[in-house]
Amino acid sequence: MKSFSYERARTPAEAAASALRRPDAKFIAGGTNLLDLMKLEIETPAHLVDVNGLALDKIEATPEGGLRIGALVRNTDLAADSRIRRDYGVLSRALLAGASGQLRNKATTAGNLLQRTRCPYFYDTNQPCNKRRPGSGCSAIGGFSRQHAVIGASEACIATHPSDMAVAMRALDVTVEAVRPDGTTRNIPIADFHRLPGDTPHIETTLQPGELITAVTLPKPVGGTHVYRKVRDRASYAFALVSVAAIVQRDGSGRVALGGVAHKPWRVEAADAELPRGARAVATKLLANARPTRDNAFKLALAERTIGAALTEAKG
Amino acid sequence: MQGPSDFEVSRRKLLLGTAASVAFGATPFAHAQTPAVPAQADVADTVSMSKVSFNVNGSLREIALDTRTTLLDALREHLHLTGSKKGCDHGQCGACTVIVGGRRINSCLTLAVMHQGDSITTIEGLGTPENMHPMQAAFVKHDGFQCGYCTPGQICSAVAVLDEIKAGIPSHVSADLNAPLQLTNAELRERMSGNICRCGAYSNIAEAISEVAGRPA
């Protein structure tokens, strides 16, 4: 691990200003992903701004009838919150499907959104990777690509976003609240928060330099039956090959988002309209422009079947 | 707590020697090529130190550390509490599990300097050979281990799992998010999935935890 200086931030704006002053700085909250990457020298910050003391660990009701989740709320606490379990079950289920008990106790809401890909070529510092070293090439293209993206990828990168939580948040249409270094705040719809790789796969979100996530806001509950279905190589503690976040209403309408298939949680609003017509119709719309590799073409059929399983589960 | 015997000290040195010779051998794994310790010039030029104080197993400890030091390395190398083990050092195996503020975490994936003022319980703080924690006693009784390397992490995790169930925290296998939790074998196994046992003592581990939880496995 490269050496770094360390400070404990006292306010969100101070943390953001501190990070802007030093382009080689990183925020650290749970640290479960960042420290892993620092040990491998994939991340090499020269300065760490510890944001754990910022009192962003509350889940509060909003005037609109939703919930404002502080950036530092731990995954365990978010999944276990009685309001989340009752009104946003898909979020609770997605969180519980991810990582291990130890990691969920430490990992934060904002950190989960900012997780980096688990592409094995991103992790292997001996291999070219446009995400790790821009311009060096993509080893996954033409490599072993079973886990990789089937849609929204580019010639520069076919990595997937690893989060389960973010898939449920995409289905729930959350808003990400961030503070800028000058102390002003802005709200970013989750649909616009993560980027597709394009020719800059190293830029993964629309956050600007120094910007710090302070909260994630859930709109008022939409009702319906909430299902999160995850298919992976082990029964527990593994990343998704394909996952489905579905919210289904009594009349068969609803929303669906996919994980494990793209560089961001994948939702196509036009596919939601197909829900009453069943899994095949939904999958066809969701994955209309899919371009799988030989290794991961199975994800197209798996996605359709997993949507089908989720819809069956939703019907009870 | 028992002091380390001469045998244990020499065993550790032997293991360290073996690990070093493996690291310098030709290995195809990329991870092994990441130097375990930074190059000398690196240390001389840029090492950044920080002080931290926290409570470990009931005693206040204050240490000055290289900021890079993980909580696991602080416990093992600075405070000589070698019960917590370094398995993968990447949060995948759970051998380093300790309880911080009543919650289990991977001590390898957190910096010691991030734990100012925290209360940390390691396997050494749960019980002693003469006065074992009920979970330690149950692991012995049910043979919940073979080589024993993952055991301190398994036990710390298991103690915290029962607290999580008491606190009503649901899991991936809980059938109903809004109903009281059922303490089933499937629940225990799911909740313990962050602790890998390469010897495969899982069924005995589940029996040990079940006994402490007060239900048949």
Side-chain angles (χ1 to χ4, degrees):
Chain A
M1 201 189 297
K2 298 280 189 202
S3 190
F4 55 84
S5 50
Y6 169 84
E7 73 171 283
R8 295 185 188 106
R10 285 170 302 185
T11 68
E14 182 190 291
S18 193
L20 185 69
R21 261 197 309 279
R22 300 201 46 170
D24 54 1
K26 283 258 172 197
F27 301 119
I28 188 161
T32 54
N33 190 204
L34 181 59
L35 284 170
D36 182 24
L37 295 169
M38 284 170 65
K39 287 180 183 193
L40 300 168
E41 298 191 356
I42 293 166
E43 295 274 17
T44 53
H47 185 67
L48 283 187
V49 181
D50 183 345
V51 297
N52 282 292
L54 295 187
L56 300 171
D57 56 355
K58 309 270 187 309
I59 305 174
E60 298 159 317
T62 65
E64 293 76 29
L67 291 172
R68 183 174 178 274
I69 306 159
L72 292 169
V73 172
R74 308 288 153 172
N75 288 180
T76 297
D77 297 314
L78 184 55
D81 185 275
S82 59
R83 295 160 291 181
I84 301 290
R85 285 154 75 168
R86 187 188 63 219
D87 298 328
Y88 307 93
V90 67
L91 179 55
S92 198
R93 284 288 181 200
L95 284 157
L96 295 171
S100 66
Q102 289 96 316
L103 290 168
R104 290 192 296 271
N105 280 343
K106 205 90 190 78
T108 62
T109 305
N112 193 321
L113 282 177
L114 296 174
Q115 273 191 90
R116 306 210 63 193
T117 187
R118 265 46 173 212
C119 171
Y121 300 103
F122 173 70
Y123 264 76
D124 183 348
T125 51
N126 294 304
Q127 306 273 350
C129 169
N130 287 322
K131 201 180 262 303
R132 178 165 32 74
R133 204 179 321 130
S136 63
C138 174
S139 305
I141 296 173
F144 185 69
S145 55
R146 181 172 172 270
Q147 302 170 17
H148 292 76
V150 294
I151 194 161
S154 71
E155 296 304 315
C157 180
I158 59 169
T160 55
H161 195 268
S163 172
D164 291 295
M165 181 196 81
V167 181
M169 286 186 170
R170 181 68 184 87
L172 289 163
D173 273 335
V174 304
T175 305
V176 181
E177 179 188 304
V179 62
R180 298 189 186 94
D182 65 3
T184 58
T185 60
R186 69 167 175 141
N187 292 306
I188 311 161
I190 185 79
D192 303 331
F193 182 78
H194 294 105
R195 291 164 44 104
L196 288 178
D199 52 12
T200 54
H202 59 293
I203 304 171
E204 294 168 352
T205 70
T206 50
L207 286 175
Q208 297 300 305
E211 249 183 329
L212 174 74
I213 299 174
T214 46
V216 169
T217 301
L218 285 161
K220 71 173 201 276
V222 294
T225 304
H226 290 217
V227 176
Y228 190 75
R229 193 95 178 190
K230 178 176 179 178
V231 182
R232 45 186 160 174
D233 287 330
R234 294 191 297 254
S236 182
Y237 198 16
F239 290 96
L241 290 168
V242 166
S243 70
V244 173
I247 302 168
V248 185
Q249 306 294 342
R250 259 175 201 286
D251 62 5
S253 67
R255 307 158 174 209
V256 61
L258 294 180
V261 297
H263 199 255
K264 57 190 283 187
W266 196 253
R267 183 166 168 214
V268 175
E269 271 78 357
D272 292 351
E274 301 292 325
L275 271 168
R277 279 175 285 283
R280 174 150 299 177
V282 175
T284 303
K285 268 277 194 302
L286 260 175
L287 299 168
N289 298 308
R291 283 182 56 203
T293 68
R294 193 185 54 191
D295 291 342
N296 67 18
F298 75 93
K299 285 191 177 184
L300 301 184
L302 186 58
E304 182 187 322
R305 288 179 198 147
T306 311
I307 294 166
L311 296 183
T312 304
E313 188 179 330
K315 277 179 199 138
Chain B
M1 210 183 75
Q2 224 181 21
S5 70
D6 288 344
F7 169 71
E8 280 167 331
V9 171
S10 61
R11 187 186 62 168
R12 263 197 96 215
K13 280 185 181 157
L14 177 70
L15 287 171
L16 284 171
T18 314
S21 59
V22 169
F24 287 117
T27 161
F29 295 112
H31 290 184
Q33 294 181 11
T34 307
V37 284
Q40 222 45 49
D42 234 17
V43 172
D45 290 347
T46 60
V47 69
S48 177
M49 302 291 289
S50 191
K51 267 192 190 154
V52 66
S53 59
F54 39 56
N55 189 305
V56 184
N57 300 330
S59 320
L60 189 65
R61 310 300 293 260
E62 187 170 343
I63 29 180
L65 295 164
D66 184 324
T67 50
R68 287 172 288 191
T69 313
T70 61
L71 178 60
L72 175 63
D73 285 342
L75 293 169
R76 288 180 53 85
E77 309 298 333
H78 294 261
L79 302 177
H80 307 296
L81 293 166
T82 52
S84 306
K85 295 294 187 276
K86 183 178 283 193
C88 68
D89 208 23
H90 286 276
Q92 296 171 4
C93 77
C96 68
T97 303
V98 300
I99 301 169
V100 177
R103 300 187 144 202
R104 55 181 172 146
I105 64 167
N106 299 111
S107 63
C108 76
L109 279 190
T110 190
L111 295 170
V113 293
M114 292 164 69
H115 291 281
Q116 177 61 35
D118 282 354
S119 283
I120 299 154
T121 303
T122 68
I123 189 71
E124 292 92 341
L126 283 181
T128 63
E130 296 76 31
N131 185 20
M132 284 192 279
H133 184 280
M135 193 65 78
Q136 290 172 311
F139 268 64
V140 172
K141 179 181 164 191
H142 291 277
D143 245 349
F145 51 85
Q146 286 184 43
C147 81
Y149 195 81
C150 72
T151 312
Q154 298 277 3
I155 292 176
C156 285
S157 201
V159 168
V161 160
L162 296 189
D163 288 341
E164 288 165 14
I165 292 171
K166 265 191 214 124
I169 295 168
S171 87
H172 175 61
V173 300
S174 306
D176 183 345
L177 285 178
N178 299 299
L181 294 169
Q182 306 292 313
L183 214 167
T184 61
N185 189 266
E187 278 283 358
L188 292 180
R189 284 172 176 269
E190 161 60 26
R191 289 167 190 271
M192 290 295 291
S193 72
N195 291 84
I196 310 296
C197 171
R198 205 62 281 178
C199 301
Y202 296 113
S203 58
N204 294 2
I205 291 170
E207 279 177 25
I209 304 173
S210 295
E211 178 171 300
V212 179
R215 65 166 291 278

